[in-house]
């Protein structure tokens, strides 16, 4: 006789729980929105992360007005030292003890994957503006994370298509031996196979390698038309410098290219060694009036022009705050659902929106590095070759391995 009453009580309890989940508490928890910028402050990725990412986040907060829903926005930061275990440890401390609502930047694909795992575990937001592996929007996607700039699939596809159109059918890959490099190697191989190109060999190097001679020599002796560097930051800079020492350049019988090239890399290497290089980028400070205004503001604060990841960090923080305002709460589930419904257009993201797999779909650009004679002043490094629509650059949703994607 008691079972119906117990069953009714259980049903009422489930219904109440469902109603609570669907109606998140309004307003800002803890009376402050706290955003942590987690990056590389002194290592090989510090030029594309570091203080630049902190300043970009601060600029977004300032441009939003410093408050959201009447509550202050606070930016904190930490150095994960390019170690995934340190990144996850900081993320847990921030989420659990310091009441951080969202973590941004997270340079390094392995560190990004580590932080998104913690964010999913803690049901907090991860704004990945500086991690490139396609796994972030693929099998390792989470409902609490977004990937805000081009992934390895889009970068490999855009770069390969651009270079294939100029000739160069056979490729040799020199890749970093961690998540980024392995994603690049797979995605580039897939793109070349479907486009009439071919990978004739590949080698993987440790992160932070100082001597690239053996890896460059392997590419040179392979006879491949293109030796592609699938790495980033200081690794990419050192690889290109080593290639130059061996006589490999961006022109000639054997050419080099980089799948993830930042304007800070070009600045470090010098136009003499990389003039003519074809590359993909999400952003360039000298594209139009909006990017120039942002670039000049950033330069006054940092003494350098922004990389695409700095612009991405600005954009993701700004749109996160917009989503909180629109949702009327900083509840993670509600904010993420709101973010995925918002049209996005700003200095970084054009014709943009967030897909259900958490990937920001936006226009990308194909550039060529100018010669020293073409450059009129410092940081005047790129000339635009093409605009690539987001729908053409990123992996189709129908091919996504993300468990959040609804399959027809």
């Amino acid at each position: 006789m008691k079972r119906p009453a117990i069953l009714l009580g259980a049903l009422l309890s489930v219904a109440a729980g469902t109603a609570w989940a669907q109606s998140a508490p309004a307003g800002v928890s803890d009376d402050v929105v706290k955003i942590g910028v987690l990056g590389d402050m002194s290592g090989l990725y510090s030029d594309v992360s570091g203080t630049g990412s902190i300043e970009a986040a601060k600029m977004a907060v300032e441009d939003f007005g410093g408050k959201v829903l009447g509550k202050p926005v606070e930016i904190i930061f930490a150095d994960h030292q390019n170690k995934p275990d340190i990144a996850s440890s900081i993320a847990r401390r921030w989420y659990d003890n310091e009441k951080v609502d969202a973590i941004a930047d997270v340079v390094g694909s392995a560190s990004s994957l580590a932080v998104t795992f913690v964010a999913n575990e803690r049901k907090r937001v991860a704004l990945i503006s500086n991690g490139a592996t396609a796994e972030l929007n693929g099998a390792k996607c989470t409902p609490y994370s977004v990937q805000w700039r081009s992934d390895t699939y889009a970068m490999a596809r855009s770069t390969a298509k651009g270079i294939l159109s100029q000739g160069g059918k056979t490729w040799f890959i020199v890749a970093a031996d961690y998540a980024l490099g392995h994603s690049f190697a797979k995605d580039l191989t897939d793109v070349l196979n479907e486009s009439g190109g071919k990978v004739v060999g590949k080698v993987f190097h440790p992160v932070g390698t100082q001597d690239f001679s053996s890896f460059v020599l392997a590419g040179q002796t392979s006879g491949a038309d293109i030796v592609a560097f699938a790495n980033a930051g200081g690794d990419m800079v050192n690889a290109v410098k080593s290639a130059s020492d061996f006589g490999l350049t961006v022109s000639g019988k054997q050419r080099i290219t980089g799948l993830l090239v930042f304007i800070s890399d070009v600045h470090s290497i010098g136009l003499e060694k990389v003039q003519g290089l074809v590359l993909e980028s999400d952003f360039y400070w000298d594209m139009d009036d909006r990017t120039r205004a942002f670039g000049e503001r950033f330069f006054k604060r940092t003494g350098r022009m922004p990389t695409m990841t700095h612009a991405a960090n600005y954009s993701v923080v700004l749109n996160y705050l917009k989503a909180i305002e629109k949702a009327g709460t900083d509840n993670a589930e509600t904010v993420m659902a709101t973010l995925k419904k918002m049209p996005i257009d700003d200095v970084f993201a054009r014709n943009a929106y967030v897909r259900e797999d958490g990937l920001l779909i936006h226009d990308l650009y194909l550039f060529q590095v100018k010669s020293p004679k073409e450059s009129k002043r410092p940081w005047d490094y790129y000339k635009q070759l093409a605009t690539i629509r987001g729908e053409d650059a990123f992996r189709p949703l129908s091919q996504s391995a993300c468990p959040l994607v609804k399959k027809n």
Side-chain angles (χ1 to χ4, degrees), residues 147-206:
Q147 186 174 16
W148 211 253
R149 67 168 178 82
S150 51
D151 63 0
T152 51
Y153 177 93
M155 286 185 283
R157 185 177 186 83
S158 301
T159 306
K161 293 276 189 180
I163 293 175
L164 284 169
S165 68
Q166 301 177 346
K169 300 294 184 182
T170 57
W171 294 55
F172 187 92
I173 302 171
V174 178
D177 193 10
Y178 76 113
L180 172 75
H182 287 274
S183 289
F184 260 138
K186 177 186 181 303
D187 292 333
L188 179 59
T189 300
D190 291 345
V191 169
L192 289 171
N193 287 342
E194 73 178 41
S195 304
K198 181 182 180 182
V199 174
V200 299
K202 65 186 75 169
V203 291
F204 293 90
H205 67 82

Side-chain angles (χ1 to χ4, degrees), residues 33-105:
V33 171
K34 189 178 288 189
I35 302 170
V37 177
L38 183 57
D40 177 5
M41 302 302 163
S42 58
L44 77 163
Y45 300 138
S46 56
D47 281 350
V48 300
S49 177
T51 57
S53 286
I54 299 168
E55 290 302 315
K58 289 180 178 178
M59 288 170 66
V61 173
E62 291 166 13
D63 288 353
F64 194 77
K67 293 184 177 182
V68 60
L69 300 179
K71 303 298 181 181
V73 181
E74 181 181 349
I75 298 292
I76 65 172
F77 58 89
D79 185 355
H80 62 37
Q81 303 173 45
N82 296 315
K83 296 178 180 178
D85 58 333
I86 293 179
S88 60
S89 176
I90 293 172
R92 287 191 178 90
R93 188 184 78 237
W94 275 359
Y95 288 142
D96 293 347
N97 302 329
E98 300 185 31
K99 299 180 179 179
V100 168
D101 297 287
I103 296 176
D105 190 297

Side-chain angles (χ1 to χ4, degrees), residues 41-308:
M41 302 302 163
S42 58
L44 77 163
Y45 300 138
S46 56
D47 281 350
V48 300
S49 177
T51 57
S53 286
I54 299 168
E55 290 302 315
K58 289 180 178 178
M59 288 170 66
V61 173
E62 291 166 13
D63 288 353
F64 194 77
K67 293 184 177 182
V68 60
L69 300 179
K71 303 298 181 181
V73 181
E74 181 181 349
I75 298 292
I76 65 172
F77 58 89
D79 185 355
H80 62 37
Q81 303 173 45
N82 296 315
K83 296 178 180 178
D85 58 333
I86 293 179
S88 60
S89 176
I90 293 172
R92 287 191 178 90
R93 188 184 78 237
W94 275 359
Y95 288 142
D96 293 347
N97 302 329
E98 300 185 31
K99 299 180 179 179
V100 168
D101 297 287
I103 296 176
D105 190 297
V106 201
V107 67
S109 292
S111 294
S112 291
L113 289 168
V115 169
T116 57
F117 176 84
V118 177
N120 188 51
E121 191 179 59
R122 299 303 198 265
K123 294 181 170 53
R124 297 293 182 90
V125 174
L127 307 171
I128 307 299
S129 55
N130 213 345
T133 176
E135 285 291 289
L136 287 163
N137 65 78
K140 302 295 178 62
C141 75
T142 84
Y144 298 96
S145 59
V146 291
Q147 186 174 16
W148 211 253
R149 67 168 178 82
S150 51
D151 63 0
T152 51
Y153 177 93
M155 286 185 283
R157 185 177 186 83
S158 301
T159 306
K161 293 276 189 180
I163 293 175
L164 284 169
S165 68
Q166 301 177 346
K169 300 294 184 182
T170 57
W171 294 55
F172 187 92
I173 302 171
V174 178
D177 193 10
Y178 76 113
L180 172 75
H182 287 274
S183 289
F184 260 138
K186 177 186 181 303
D187 292 333
L188 179 59
T189 300
D190 291 345
V191 169
L192 289 171
N193 287 342
E194 73 178 41
S195 304
K198 181 182 180 182
V199 174
V200 299
K202 65 186 75 169
V203 291
F204 293 90
H205 67 82
V207 175
T209 295
Q210 297 300 312
D211 183 3
F212 274 86
S213 57
S214 63
F215 305 107
V216 171
L217 186 59
Q220 189 174 41
T221 57
S222 73
D225 299 326
I226 308 295
V227 177
F229 297 118
N231 48 20
D235 281 339
M236 193 272 173
V237 171
N238 289 333
V240 170
K241 288 181 177 178
S242 181
S244 178
D245 293 339
F246 276 82
L248 293 177
T249 64
V250 299
S251 60
K253 185 177 180 181
Q254 275 190 303
R255 291 180 283 161
I256 61 169
T257 190
L259 301 181
L260 179 51
V261 182
F262 297 97
I263 194 170
S264 53
D265 301 331
V266 175
H267 188 76
S268 296
I269 298 168
L271 294 181
E272 294 82 2
K273 292 186 177 181
V274 289
Q275 58 183 307
L277 180 73
V278 174
L279 59 95
E280 178 276 325
S281 184
D282 299 30
F283 170 90
Y284 174 47
W285 73 269
D286 202 17
M287 279 202 318
D288 55 32
D289 289 342
R290 279 200 289 177
T291 59
R292 279 188 285 274
F294 177 80
E296 295 294 348
R297 286 176 57 205
F298 186 90
F299 186 86
K300 288 179 181 178
R301 299 171 75 124
T302 66
R304 304 170 68 85
M305 284 299 177
T307 65
M308 62 173 165

